[in-house]
Each structure stands twice: as C-alpha cells, then as structure tokens.
Amino acid sequence: MTNRKTMTTAAGTPVADNQNTLTAGPRGPVLMQDYQLMERMAHFNRERVPERVVHAKGAGAYGTFTVTGDISKYTRAKLFDKVGNRCETFVRFSTVAGELGSADTVRDPRGFSVKFYTEEGNWDLVGNNTPVFFLRDPLKFSDFIHSQKRNPATGRRDPVMQWDYWSLSPESLHQVTTLFSDRGIPATLRHMNGYGSHTFSLWNAGGERYWVKWHLKTMQGIQCLPNEEAARIAAENPDFHRQDLYEAIARGDYPRWKVQVQVMPERDAETYRIHPFDLTKVWPHKDYPMIEVGVLELNRNPEDYFAEVEQAAFEPGNMPPGIGASPDKVLQARLLSYPDAHRYRIGINYAALPVNKPRCPVHTYHRDGHMRFDGNGGGAVNYQPNSFGGPADDAGYREPPLRISGEADRHDHRAGNDDYGQAGDLFRLMSEEQQAQLVGNIVGAMRPVPREIQVRQIGHFAKADAEYGRRVAEGLGIPLSRA
Ligand code: NDP
C-alpha cells in the first residue's frame, strides 16, 4: 500500500496523465486545450526572478543569537535588555561580483548579512567579511561595480577596468589591500569574520546616542585559500562554499561567531581624529576597544533554496528601537537601495514572505500590491487616524534627535582625506609570508594592465608603505623612480 498523493494542477484539480501530451492522433499535433501542458510551460518560463546585480551567488542558514555581554546601558533594544536573551536568525553569505552560477572560491569580498528576528521586529545587519569598503560616497557605487563586472564590449571581466577605477580612486586602497591579502579568499564561509562595516548607532531610554561598529569574529579561526588551491576547487566544485556550509550544519558541526561592538559616545564624533562616518576607515581597537555582545550560531539548513535563500531580503533600515543609522553617506544610500532592489526583484510584498516575515506581530496600513498572499488585512480599518481601534503610533519609541549642521553642497570627499595610513597599517601588521602573498596576488592580477595604470597604482601602494610600493614595482619590473 502506498499513500502517494494524487498530482493536481495549481488549481487543485487531479491530473490523470503527466506523461503524454493531448494530441490529435498519436503523431500530433498538440491540442490547444491541453491546459496542463500550457500551465506547466508557462510556470517553468517564469521560474527565475531577476538575480541580484551584486551578491547574486549566496548560501544561507538559520541560527540562534544569544546575548552574552551586557550592553543595555547603550541601547533600549529589548534584545539586549539582559544577558541570556536569545532570538532566531537567518544569515546569507555571498560573493559580490559573480553571477548566480559563478564559482564560490574567487577573490572577492563576501557578503555577511544577518537577520535577527527580535520581539520588536527584524534587525538586519547587512555587512561583509571586511571592515571597510572601496568607496565612501554612494554616488560612486554603480561606477565601481561596473568596473568590476563585465566589459560591455567583450562580455568578460576585465582587470584593466578594475585597476583603472581603483588607481583613480585612492579611497579604495585600504579595501584593495584587504581583498588581495590572504583573507581575500576564505577557505569556507565558516572560517571568516563578519563586519557591519558602516558606523551605526545605539540609543538608550535616557536619550543618549552612541556610534558603534559591529564585528562578528569566527570561532572556527580564520582560514584562507591560496590562489592555486582556490582555482583548483573552482574548477572541480564551483559550489564548494555552499556545500561546506550545508554539510557542516547537517552533521551538527554548527559554526559560531563572537559578536562584538566598538562604542563611541555621540560627541566624540566631532573631535575624533578619524572621520567616524567614513566607510573606508576602521576604528583602531586601542581607541575603542571591543565589547562582548553575544554568540551567533548557525544550526538549521533551509528546506528550500529558492524560497528561503533566494527570496531572503535584507535591508539596513530594519532596526528595532534602540538601534539606529548614522550619517555615513553610503549607509544612507543603502537605506533606500536595498528595499528598492527587493521591490523590483521579488515584488512589493516581499516582507511577508516566510523567510523575511518578522516573528512578532506586524500592524501596518499597507494593502494590496502584486502577489498579496497574507489576507491583506482582511476587513480591518485601512487608514489612520481612525475611530475603529486601528494600530496607532507610539511616541515612546521616538529616537533622540540628531544635531545636524552644514552647508548643502557637493563636498569633495577626497579633499584632505588620508587614504593611505590605514592601508599601510594593514600591510605592516601582516607577517612576512602574508606580505609576500599580498604582493604576489597583486602582481599576478595587475600583469595584464597597461603600464600607465600600473605606475599610477604603485604610487598609491608606495604612499601606504614604501616597502609595499617597492615590492609591487619590482614584481612588475617597473623602476620605483617611475612610480
Ligand atoms: P589592532 O591591532 O587593534 O587590530 C588589528 C585587527 O586586524 C584585528 O581585529 C585583527 O583581527 C585583524 N587582522 C589581523 N591580521 C590581519 C590580516 N592579515 N588581515 C586583515 N585583518 C587582520 O590594530 P588597528 O585597530 O589599529 O588596525 C590595524 C589595521 O588592521 C587596520 O588598518 C585594518 O586594516 C586592520 N583591521 C582593523 C580592524 C579594526 O576594527 N580596527 C578590523 C579588521 C582589520 P582578527 O585577526 O581577529 O580578525
């Protein structure tokens, strides 16, 4: 005996034959009235949603976040009101430049996005495995990404475009140094750190605001892949990182990260020697030491890749009361661009999809729109103010006001900015072996690039650290005097 279910159409009507198309005679032609054939072909044609322009290739898993350190004096977020609090999470890792079918083990930053389903709504920390980024002004984002994607004429990725853009954008140097370091290709998604990268804020019930930087430190230890090993894996198994994460969780080897935060009192931002809202800079730990916050553990695989990982929608603007944004220009642009991308990619009602849906009740006045599948609010009142007990705003959740001043202008973000100091610090903290890898990786990547661009870029390396510049120049056979 079998209790196999009867196959149906999408409307639930039983299917009598899923092997043979309805035809006029055994040799055809097909009859238009074969509704089932039409339905199956039409649905198949629409199986893909547009892939993300960046961060297309990803892997994801559910997990648990547990608070282990008390930061309640900085934030009123209920998640942090006592040590021991827990919430469910969903994490999506990704490469940046490659398409949905690209190889995992390429040199690229990795997206590291965490959705915390808190009792006061979702908190999305949408970060990377690097503490900084290639730019500090969001107007440059699409230019930067174009330079890293495919050449419009050849349809190939193009080192000339990449190094041309970088060499003309010195603010990228810190991140370029990170990217070409040993950490530029993580061994697995479990063996890399995550960073919120931007400066965010925390605010407490007393109306005090603090600027913060989030860090997620791998408890598996940092492990990386050298170029040759990464290339071999990419050829043999382009889904290597996806497979590793899935299998580790399936066998109960749950990856974990220590969540830590650096905290700066609001007024320090006015006098701190480093521009605190510059996405190309870190805050040295001796200035703002790491504070323990919690542990993130991934312990449950998704059941359906498309439904959960592909439809996962993270947005930096998802912040429960007590957590806030900052004047970081790139963060501000992302507050708009992420939900905008989701509306385009998976539709206006993306927040109601199971992977994105908050675990707490949601009371909005949103109605209708494509693919409304959650009851649409039923007969509840759909405007506000109203006399019928509809949800109401609550001033108790008001964020403290932020003092802002200045002249509205297109201020030159490159003027007077030190693009070299922290890139040099990174070079100097590397071991001899790491420096040799960095230089080797850069020299290999820059070989196909015209001499003029090589010389310009070597000038940047040399400004970060004379030794850094000298070794890249030597590797490319260029006298340092020319750079
Ligand atoms: P610190 O010595 O206080 O911190 C150095 C940080 O660098 C540690 O967080 C360490 O974290 C990380 N690190 C160590 N080796 C490497 C490596 N080979 N590649 C990348 N990161 C590494 O010094 P500072 O805070 O003054 O930072 C010095 C430089 O370190 C910065 O310019 C920046 O490039 C880099 N860095 C700084 C971070 C920060 O938040 N201050 C964060 C990450 C990097 P771990 O080994 O545990 O990952």
Side-chain angles (χ1 to χ4, degrees):
M1 277 296 284
T2 164
N3 56 2
R4 183 184 288 163
K5 297 184 182 89
T6 299
M7 182 181 171
T8 71
T9 63
T13 58
V15 171
D17 186 344
N18 189 43
Q19 313 306 321
N20 303 296
T21 298
L22 188 65
T23 52
R27 297 189 177 187
V30 172
L31 298 185
M32 273 287 286
Q33 74 190 64
D34 190 346
Y35 171 80
Q36 186 194 348
L37 173 68
M38 306 304 162
E39 180 188 272
R40 293 203 66 179
M41 288 199 306
H43 197 278
F44 182 70
N45 287 347
R46 292 164 178 79
E47 278 186 3
R48 298 288 172 272
V49 295
E51 70 173 42
R52 295 164 171 89
V53 180
V54 284
H55 296 276
K57 174 84 186 282
Y62 294 92
T64 316
F65 172 69
T66 308
V67 177
T68 57
D70 182 7
I71 58 164
S72 60
K73 67 177 171 194
Y74 304 119
T75 176
R76 57 166 295 167
K78 272 196 182 163
L79 174 63
F80 295 118
D81 72 2
K82 60 179 182 307
V83 169
N85 283 356
R86 306 182 89 190
C87 77
E88 189 189 355
T89 62
F90 182 79
V91 175
R92 182 175 182 272
F93 303 106
S94 50
T95 50
V96 179
E99 293 85 359
L100 203 44
S102 59
D104 287 342
T105 54
V106 291
R107 185 168 300 283
D108 208 5
R110 300 298 188 281
F112 194 130
S113 301
V114 189
K115 191 180 284 295
F116 300 80
Y117 303 96
T118 89
E119 62 182 294
E120 294 178 303
N122 289 350
W123 172 36
D124 291 357
L125 188 61
V126 196
N128 279 331
N129 70 334
T130 59
V132 293
F133 199 61
F134 298 94
L135 47 85
R136 66 168 76 87
D137 191 306
L139 198 50
K140 299 320 298 167
F141 186 77
S142 55
D143 286 322
F144 162 64
I145 294 296
H146 282 173
S147 76
Q148 306 299 305
K149 288 276 199 176
R150 292 175 186 277
N151 180 307
T154 63
R156 282 187 275 124
R157 291 194 66 194
D158 186 341
V160 177
M161 291 164 53
Q162 294 166 12
W163 289 101
D164 189 32
Y165 179 89
W166 285 331
S167 67
L168 292 167
S169 312
E171 68 275 11
S172 64
L173 188 67
H174 193 186
Q175 178 77 326
V176 167
T177 304
T178 308
L179 178 64
F180 285 90
S181 78
D182 54 337
R183 296 194 184 188
I185 314 181
T188 81
L189 301 168
R190 299 176 292 128
H191 292 91
M192 63 183 199
N193 293 338
Y195 302 89
S197 305
H198 299 286
T199 296
F200 292 91
S201 58
L202 291 176
W203 50 278
N204 62 23
E208 292 164 319
R209 177 185 282 103
Y210 300 86
W211 305 117
V212 298
K213 289 225 186 247
W214 293 101
H215 302 252
L216 296 97
K217 294 290 190 93
T218 173
M219 293 170 73
Q220 290 65 244
I222 298 272
Q223 286 181 27
C224 315
L225 292 173
N227 279 345
E228 306 68 38
E229 175 74 353
R232 186 188 60 75
I233 296 172
E236 286 174 8
N237 181 2
D239 303 322
F240 180 75
H241 282 169
R242 254 189 205 175
Q243 181 177 351
D244 172 83
L245 180 69
Y246 192 94
E247 291 182 352
I249 293 173
R251 68 174 176 265
D253 180 7
Y254 300 142
R256 300 202 294 165
W257 286 262
K258 268 189 211 158
V259 179
Q260 300 172 323
V261 71
Q262 291 176 283
V263 177
M264 176 191 289
E266 181 174 353
R267 298 305 291 264
D268 279 22
E270 292 165 19
T271 52
Y272 186 42
R273 65 193 165 88
I274 295 166
H275 178 1
F277 308 122
D278 177 347
L279 182 54
T280 69
K281 303 282 194 301
V282 295
W283 299 349
H285 298 157
K286 63 176 175 347
D287 293 349
Y288 293 99
M290 303 287 249
I291 296 171
E292 174 186 341
V293 178
V295 172
L296 170 70
E297 175 185 275
L298 298 183
N299 48 30
R300 182 161 67 88
N301 278 317
E303 287 174 12
D304 185 286
Y305 184 84
F306 178 83
E308 292 155 284
V309 186
E310 193 61 8
Q311 294 197 121
F314 296 87
E315 33 191 315
N318 282 349
M319 293 180 287
I323 301 175
S326 82
D328 177 337
K329 299 189 245 278
V330 183
L331 171 59
Q332 301 218 323
R334 291 178 77 209
L335 296 176
L336 165 80
S337 69
Y338 278 66
D340 186 46
H342 305 323
R343 288 176 199 121
Y344 161 68
R345 204 171 68 81
I346 45 178
I348 185 65
N349 288 309
Y350 66 91
L353 290 165
V355 66
N356 301 324
K357 193 175 155 59
R359 304 310 190 233
C360 65
V362 173
H363 305 290
T364 75
Y365 287 93
H366 299 325
R367 292 293 187 278
D368 309 348
H370 278 288
M371 303 303 291
R372 189 85 205 197
F373 53 85
D374 64 352
N376 200 28
V381 58
N382 65 351
Y383 57 90
Q384 210 244 351
N386 63 72
S387 318
F388 304 105
D393 38 326
D394 180 345
Y397 291 109
R398 189 189 295 256
E399 186 169 343
L402 178 66
R403 225 157 41 94
I404 295 177
S405 65
E407 286 167 19
D409 201 352
R410 295 186 180 273
H411 298 275
D412 182 352
H413 70 85
R414 293 190 176 114
N417 228 310
D418 172 16
D419 292 323
Y420 303 106
Q422 293 199 346
D425 290 343
L426 179 57
F427 178 77
R428 288 181 287 273
L429 75 69
M430 292 181 189
S431 66
E432 170 50 39
E433 193 194 335
Q434 287 172 317
Q435 289 182 348
Q437 267 194 51
L438 169 73
V439 170
N441 293 337
I442 290 173
V443 168
M446 284 181 73
R447 273 222 175 84
V449 170
R451 185 97 336 175
E452 176 198 345
I453 296 176
Q454 290 175 340
V455 167
R456 191 161 57 214
Q457 183 66 32
I458 289 168
H460 297 312
F461 295 137
K463 281 190 200 160
D465 191 289
E467 182 64 6
Y468 189 6
R470 191 191 62 73
R471 287 169 71 172
V472 175
E474 189 179 273
L476 289 169
I478 296 175
L480 190 55
S481 54
R482 270 206 64 197

